[in-house]
Amino acid sequence: MTLIATDKYQFLEKEDFTLDFAVEGILQKAEEEYLPAFYKSIAAGVVLCVISPVPLLIFSSAEDEITAEYMSVFGVAVLLTIVACGVFLIVRVCILKGAYDRLLQKGDYTVSKKRAGKKLNAFSGAYWSLLTALYLLVSFLTMRWDMTWIIWPVGAVAFAALYAILESVVADK
């Protein structure tokens, strides 16, 4: 039994496949027609997220302290609504763009990246398990939980660098 209805489409992210020439042409044309709307929605979403603090600044500038407090609460509500709208625009268009990329095997879903991802899957699991073990070991030995959190961001940056290097080595073979 599958937990998620989309599990049957996981092969699109991991396996190589070939589309019929006509289907590929239709998808490419549909993506070309979709890209202007994609870029406009991304831009609008980013602009909304950037300007979202403006209502909070405007509403909290009241001179009366009590009024300013109530208006600040209202400003936060407006800020969160604007951010929600911006994020909605971004997520909505990125889902469809991701579907085009998966079906046309572009971006992160190229055949070479899929093959490299399969080969590097064990590296990812081992890396994060070892990093967790290191974090727990250092934290329990030093009892400096307030300082050892730094292992996570440093480990994440190191992982990105190592993965990129290994991906380029694996892709060259």
Side-chain angles (χ1 to χ4, degrees), residues 19-30 104:
L19 292 174
D20 184 64
F21 184 72
V23 172
E24 188 173 354
I26 291 169
L27 282 171
Q28 286 174 341
K29 185 175 187 242
L104 294 171

Side-chain angles (χ1 to χ4, degrees), residues 17-158:
F17 60 89
T18 305
L19 292 174
D20 184 64
F21 184 72
V23 172
E24 188 173 354
I26 291 169
L27 282 171
Q28 286 174 341
K29 185 175 187 242
E31 184 187 30
E32 279 180 30
E33 293 172 357
Y34 174 69
L35 283 177
F38 171 76
Y39 293 126
K40 287 176 187 172
S41 290
I42 292 290
V46 169
V47 167
L48 284 174
C49 289
V50 168
I51 67 165
S52 63
V54 171
L56 181 61
L57 296 171
I58 292 170
F59 290 133
S60 64
S61 64
E63 292 184 24
D64 181 16
E65 188 176 318
I66 294 173
T67 306
E69 186 175 327
Y70 285 113
M71 293 303 280
S72 292
V73 172
F74 182 68
V76 169
V78 173
L79 176 143
L80 292 175
T81 302
I82 292 172
V83 168
C85 292
V87 170
F88 171 76
L89 286 173
I90 293 169
V91 170
R92 183 179 59 85
V93 296
C94 284
I95 288 172
L96 190 52
K97 178 75 168 87
Y100 282 124
D101 286 350
R102 282 180 192 89
L103 290 171
L104 294 171
Q105 299 187 77
K106 293 171 30 177
D108 288 338
Y109 304 101
T110 60
V111 173
S112 63
K113 285 203 176 194
K114 288 179 188 180
R115 289 182 184 155
K118 282 182 189 177
K119 292 178 183 176
L120 294 176
N121 203 13
F123 165 75
S124 298
Y127 179 89
W128 290 108
S129 297
L130 288 170
L131 189 68
T132 302
L134 174 69
Y135 168 72
L136 291 172
L137 179 70
V138 171
S139 296
F140 278 118
L141 289 176
T142 64
M143 288 307 206
R144 292 297 313 264
W145 298 88
D146 60 325
M147 298 291 289
T148 56
W149 64 268
I150 197 72
I151 290 172
W152 292 112
V154 170
V157 171

Side-chain angles (χ1 to χ4, degrees), residues 152-166:
W152 292 112
V154 170
V157 171
F159 175 79
L162 286 171
Y163 195 89
I165 292 167
L166 291 174

